[in-house]
Amino acid sequence: IAGITQAPTSQILAAGRRMTLRCTQDMRHNAMYWYRQDLGLGLRLIHYSNTAGTTGKGEVPEGYSLTRAPTDEYPLTLASAGPSQTSVYFCASSDSGGRGTDTQYFGPGTRLTVL
Amino acid sequence: GQNIDQPTEMTATEGAIVQINCTYQTSGFNGLFWYQQHAGEAPTFLSYNVLDGLEEKGRFSSFLSRSKGYSYLLLKELQMKDSASYLCAVKDGDYKLSFGAGTTVTVRA
């Protein structure tokens, strides 16, 4: 693999079910991020993490849980999915872990529909 | 909160020039990014500005004025493949990028 991969590509889920979105990067980047993208709202940060152990909540953290072990994986879990979590989810990573330019590179996204 | 504004849509003719403006009001500033996103695909990095002035990269240029909270992305010699959404994003801390809603550019033949 090269870059960032996400799985699944798309998923339709019944409300109340548990779902884990997977994200893997092979660029040895320090920092990883999860965003959701909704029509008219743009990309909004859910959570971020770096290999030094720094984690933080973004703009829309509620309803999601995350782990970062091993360091090239960053799965996002919806413990009990709700219709408001219908969205396109993008995982991203960056090299500097916050320092300097620290350009973020995005995975191909997961389209999640919660009915 | 963060406030990043950019026009919703723009239309231009193949071979022309289009300028996408972005204004921002954020609690901090650590640089401004422009990303391109084709429909159904991931955002891809275009440019980064942290100091005032113009950064040129081929057909694309990006300008920043920190005192005015203003940036623009200039697309020259438009091609059909430039039809996409263009996202303005401000790095307002060590990690966080705050994005505008995006500008959809349609290039017509």
Side-chain angles (χ1 to χ4, degrees):
Chain A
I1 53 174
I4 303 176
T5 58
Q6 293 184 237
T9 302
S10 65
Q11 182 74 46
I12 299 174
L13 192 66
R17 297 297 295 270
R18 180 184 178 89
M19 177 71 193
T20 295
L21 308 184
R22 299 184 299 280
C23 175
T24 303
Q25 55 98 1
D26 66 353
M27 298 180 286
R28 298 186 180 181
H29 282 177
N30 294 319
M32 297 184 75
Y33 313 79
W34 273 102
Y35 292 86
R36 59 178 290 174
Q37 187 173 37
D38 302 288
L39 195 63
L41 296 178
L43 283 156
R44 293 181 293 169
L45 180 66
I46 299 171
H47 275 273
Y48 63 87
S49 160
N50 76 0
T51 52
T54 301
T55 63
K57 295 180 180 180
E59 188 180 348
V60 285
E62 292 79 18
Y64 305 97
S65 61
L66 297 97
T67 56
R68 183 82 187 276
T71 56
D72 57 353
E73 297 178 8
Y74 196 35
L76 175 75
T77 297
L78 290 69
S80 178
S84 66
Q85 294 178 304
T86 293
S87 187
V88 180
Y89 290 85
F90 287 100
C91 179
S93 70
S94 66
D95 182 38
S96 308
R99 301 183 300 277
T101 305
D102 199 32
T103 301
Q104 293 184 22
Y105 297 92
F106 287 80
T110 294
R111 182 174 296 275
L112 181 67
T113 303
V114 183
L115 302 176
Chain B
Q2 318 296 39
N3 192 17
I4 300 171
D5 290 319
Q6 49 183 130
T8 303
E9 295 180 334
M10 301 183 75
T11 301
T13 305
E14 195 174 15
I17 297 173
V18 69
Q19 177 175 316
I20 306 169
N21 295 325
C22 173
T23 58
Y24 63 90
Q25 290 179 305
T26 56
S27 56
F29 184 82
N30 239 352
L32 187 143
F33 293 79
W34 285 96
Y35 283 82
Q36 180 190 61
Q37 186 177 25
H38 286 99
E41 297 183 8
T44 56
F45 170 73
L46 286 179
S47 68
Y48 170 76
N49 296 70
V50 67
L51 300 176
D52 290 352
L54 188 68
E55 294 281 343
E56 296 186 84
K57 192 183 294 185
R59 295 188 298 112
F60 294 179
S61 304
S62 56
F63 171 83
L64 175 67
S65 169
R66 290 172 297 171
S67 62
K68 295 181 179 179
Y70 168 70
S71 172
Y72 68 72
L73 179 70
L74 194 69
L75 286 61
K76 294 178 276 189
E77 301 170 16
L78 278 173
Q79 302 176 10
M80 299 300 288
K81 67 179 181 180
D82 298 330
S83 291
S85 286
Y86 292 85
L87 314 179
C88 174
V90 174
K91 188 178 178 186
D92 53 16
D94 284 344
Y95 297 95
K96 295 182 181 181
L97 273 185
S98 295
F99 283 83
T103 300
T104 299
V105 172
T106 301
V107 180
R108 293 181 175 170

